[in-house]
Amino acid sequence: MAIAGTTPSSPFLGHVPFHIVIGKSSFAQFTHNSLFRGSKTTVKVLLPLGEFTSIWFPQSQRFRQRSRIRATGNPSMRSAGGAIRTLLITGVSRGLGKALALELAKRGHYIIGCARSQDKLNAFQTELASSTNPPSENKHLLMSVDVSLNSSVEEFARAVMEKKGVPDIIVNCAGTINRNNKLWEVPAEEFDSVIDTNLKGTANVLRHFIPLMLEKKQGVIVNMSSGWGRSGAAQVAPYCASKWAIEGLTASVAKELPPGMAAVALNPGVIYTDMLQSCFGNSASLYQTPESWAPKAANMILNLTMADNGASLSV
């Protein structure tokens, strides 16, 4: 049996081709033709048919990219065993956070969401309830939270424990980007806003929710990174700095977690959002929408395990 496809790479370098050949043995051969070094790496891994399989390969000297492939069969659209999960997602009022929350609710999972705008949350509450399977207005918890403020996240954590308990999965999705500008022309307040939301906001969530997860000795943390957290780009230095920091923060926190838990940095890819439009202008509409991205991201997130701890992943 042979399987061919592509694995995510830099959003501007396209995709890295792979080819898998499954013989009579229980092993599959994975060949990686590197776009970066012109090299070829072959490894052997167990490949259970019909399930998602994670394969490590060296993409560059700095990073390891974990690619997810699927063999032919009937893979479940929900996590192993069909378990219902409680997922905490920051930044649920728009963009990727909103699309992901709606997709997960549609599959029957419980959503704990936060965003700064109460008006947007009120509108989203109705949309989330109608998307829920089965429809329900009381299944989820939405709160107005400013993740850049430690005190706001601390209050959020107390409310979550009182009303919903410890989440199974945390997705740090809240983010912002600076207006296109050379670094020395970015106002100090704008630079601070990017770092406070993207980096400090993630750290604040981890500070207050990891101790809760430690009591259960299980849980998955997904910190939203970017292709610009693994490469540089002109005009968006503050954003790149914040996402490179997310990669380092995640790798370090992963080393501090006990068995049974995992923290990963996830590059969502290039998606048509307000943030992308601020960078690319009208050409942002050429990329996939959050709604088309969400099913793939949900599959990936729901199938993360402790074996993924410390990985830098891409949808």
Side-chain angles (χ1 to χ4, degrees):
M1 178 188 298
I3 304 171
T6 58
T7 61
S9 175
S10 162
F12 303 108
L13 288 178
H15 292 75
V16 178
F18 68 74
H19 186 72
I20 300 169
V21 179
I22 304 175
K24 294 182 179 179
S25 70
S26 60
F27 289 91
Q29 185 166 285
F30 177 92
T31 302
H32 164 225
N33 299 301
S34 174
L35 289 178
F36 297 93
R37 302 173 64 85
S39 61
K40 181 178 289 187
T41 303
T42 301
V43 297
K44 287 186 176 181
V45 296
L46 282 170
L47 185 65
L49 293 180
E51 298 182 4
F52 285 94
T53 300
S54 298
I55 297 178
W56 287 101
F57 65 88
Q59 180 169 305
S60 72
Q61 293 179 332
R62 292 194 301 271
F63 293 105
R64 292 180 301 175
Q65 174 91 21
R66 175 166 264 184
S67 298
R68 289 185 172 272
I69 61 170
R70 187 175 67 190
T72 56
N74 296 307
S76 172
M77 291 296 288
R78 195 178 280 170
S79 52
I84 299 297
R85 308 290 187 87
T86 298
L87 296 97
L88 187 156
I89 305 174
T90 66
V92 295
S93 66
R94 64 191 182 100
L96 302 186
K98 179 179 180 180
L100 182 61
L102 290 173
E103 175 64 27
L104 290 164
K106 183 173 66 176
R107 301 184 187 199
H109 299 287
Y110 298 94
I111 303 300
I112 301 169
C114 69
R116 284 181 295 185
S117 172
Q118 186 61 57
D119 289 341
K120 290 182 178 179
L121 283 174
N122 291 341
F124 180 58
Q125 178 77 56
T126 302
E127 192 174 355
L128 185 63
S130 62
S131 297
T132 299
N133 184 20
S136 172
E137 293 187 1
N138 302 316
K139 190 174 183 178
H140 312 293
L141 173 65
L142 300 180
M143 287 186 61
S144 175
V145 178
D146 184 346
V147 296
S148 70
L149 300 177
N150 182 67
S151 59
S152 184
V153 178
E154 183 177 22
E155 182 180 344
F156 179 46
R158 282 197 297 267
V160 168
M161 283 302 294
E162 291 175 3
K163 299 178 180 180
K164 293 294 182 181
V166 183
D168 300 303
I169 301 173
I170 293 175
V171 184
N172 280 302
C173 212
T176 187
I177 197 168
N178 60 285
R179 288 169 292 184
N180 286 7
N181 230 334
K182 296 183 177 69
L183 174 63
W184 55 92
E185 295 176 350
V186 175
E189 311 80 52
E190 190 174 352
F191 188 99
D192 289 346
S193 176
V194 173
I195 298 300
D196 287 348
T197 300
N198 298 2
L199 177 58
K200 292 183 180 179
T202 296
N204 288 336
V205 172
L206 301 185
R207 179 180 298 114
H208 293 289
F209 282 94
I210 285 181
L212 306 178
M213 287 179 151
L214 289 175
E215 295 180 10
K216 292 178 63 176
K217 296 182 179 178
Q218 63 182 27
V220 172
I221 298 161
V222 179
N223 295 327
M224 208 60 77
S225 181
S226 169
W228 284 340
R230 302 167 190 177
S231 63
Q235 305 286 313
V236 287
Y239 180 79
C240 289
S242 73
K243 293 304 182 179
W244 276 80
I246 287 296
E247 293 279 343
L249 178 75
T250 305
S252 297
V253 169
K255 295 180 181 296
E256 300 169 349
L257 297 177
M261 294 184 64
V264 304
L266 181 63
N267 167 22
V270 187
I271 318 297
Y272 179 29
T273 62
D274 292 342
M275 286 173 56
L276 189 70
Q277 194 167 22
S278 76
C279 301
F280 288 5
N282 293 335
S283 63
S285 62
L286 299 174
Y287 295 90
Q288 65 176 319
T289 64
E291 292 72 25
S292 63
W293 166 86
K296 294 174 286 187
N299 286 343
M300 190 172 192
I301 290 170
L302 291 172
N303 282 278
L304 292 172
T305 70
M306 61 180 291
D308 296 292
N309 190 36
S312 290
L313 310 178
S314 295
V315 177

